[in-house]
Amino acid sequence: MSITLPDLPYEKNALEPYISARTLEFHHDKHHKAYVDNGSKLIAGTDLADLEAEAIVRKVVGDASKAGIFNNVAQAWNHSFFWKCLKPNGGGQPTGPIAQKIAADFGSYEKFAEELKNAGVTQFGSGWAWLVLKDGKLQVTKTANADTPVAHGLKPLLTIDVWEHAYYLDYQNRRPDFLSTVIEKLINWDFVNSCLG
Ligand code: MN
């Protein structure tokens, strides 16, 4: 099985009061699981069945006849990555090598935080805000629906899910507040550093 549902790297209530256990129950146990189940069904018995999720999305991106595979497998990958980007008592000023790189490439942490929040706020409809590495430089970007930087040769370092299912139970329509809270309270900079390599 190339696509699996990982356990959350923390308890369901570990991100409270910023993300509720109820949100994580639905988001991980229902939404993420559905992408994994549907993606697995769609690739079963095909030449994609034994590939890693990253390889599958690179292979089928842009192929309209395989949009269902792309959407489900990309969402499975995006969510597995997203859980690792969060931790209790995270967020705020970065530590480690990413701190210097953010200062060098954005000018300051504050500038970066503003850009990341803005990417999430301005993503029309469902999607994701990202920090990626492109040609050795940090870049904030956003993707719509299931789209993922890994399908386009970019190296993701951090993401925030801005689909309504990520925040509606806790924040209703206040997506900007959800983004600010994740950035200030939940980003796992150790994980971001590990992605920077
Ligand atoms: Mn989601």
Side-chain angles (χ1 to χ4, degrees):
M1 280 270 279
S2 63
I3 307 167
T4 53
L5 182 69
D7 289 335
L8 286 173
Y10 28 73
E11 296 298 318
K12 291 243 169 59
N13 63 2
L15 306 182
E16 290 188 339
Y18 310 118
I19 296 177
S20 66
R22 190 166 157 76
T23 289
L24 286 185
E25 259 171 55
F26 277 94
H27 200 172
H28 175 272
D29 300 358
K30 308 285 185 199
H31 291 279
H32 188 177
K33 183 174 190 297
Y35 297 128
V36 171
D37 290 349
N38 292 334
S40 297
K41 259 182 234 156
L42 289 168
I43 62 170
T46 75
D47 59 348
L48 303 170
D50 296 324
L51 298 180
E52 298 289 331
E54 293 97 314
I56 294 172
V57 296
R58 280 189 211 111
K59 217 165 168 169
V60 304
V61 64
D63 181 344
S65 72
K66 297 206 167 79
I69 293 176
F70 181 84
N71 287 336
N72 284 285
V73 176
Q75 281 294 77
W77 190 93
N78 288 344
H79 282 87
S80 295
F81 186 79
F82 175 53
W83 307 133
K84 294 187 277 192
C85 292
L86 308 177
K87 70 163 195 176
N89 302 310
Q93 291 283 344
T95 52
I98 193 69
Q100 285 100 59
K101 189 117 181 86
I102 282 175
D105 292 353
F106 291 96
S108 68
Y109 163 73
E110 288 71 21
K111 198 87 202 301
F112 153 76
E114 190 189 317
E115 259 195 61
L116 183 64
K117 179 180 175 181
N118 192 45
V121 168
T122 60
Q123 172 51 42
F124 187 77
S126 297
W128 301 80
W130 301 87
L131 175 66
V132 301
L133 203 54
K134 188 188 182 189
D135 303 325
K137 273 208 115 183
L138 296 178
Q139 195 174 65
V140 164
T141 183
K142 58 189 174 182
T143 58
N145 300 317
D147 201 10
T148 180
V150 293
H152 307 283
L154 300 169
K155 188 178 169 59
L157 304 177
L158 167 67
T159 193
I160 304 176
D161 188 343
V162 297
W163 283 59
E164 282 189 346
H165 67 224
Y167 60 86
Y168 215 83
L169 293 175
D170 300 326
Y171 297 83
Q172 293 77 49
N173 61 321
R174 293 176 289 113
R175 188 194 286 187
D177 291 352
F178 168 69
L179 282 155
S180 294
T181 303
V182 170
I183 292 167
E184 286 161 23
K185 306 290 187 187
L186 297 176
I187 290 176
N188 183 348
W189 289 116
D190 295 334
F191 177 66
V192 178
N193 275 307
S194 76
C195 295
L196 192 58

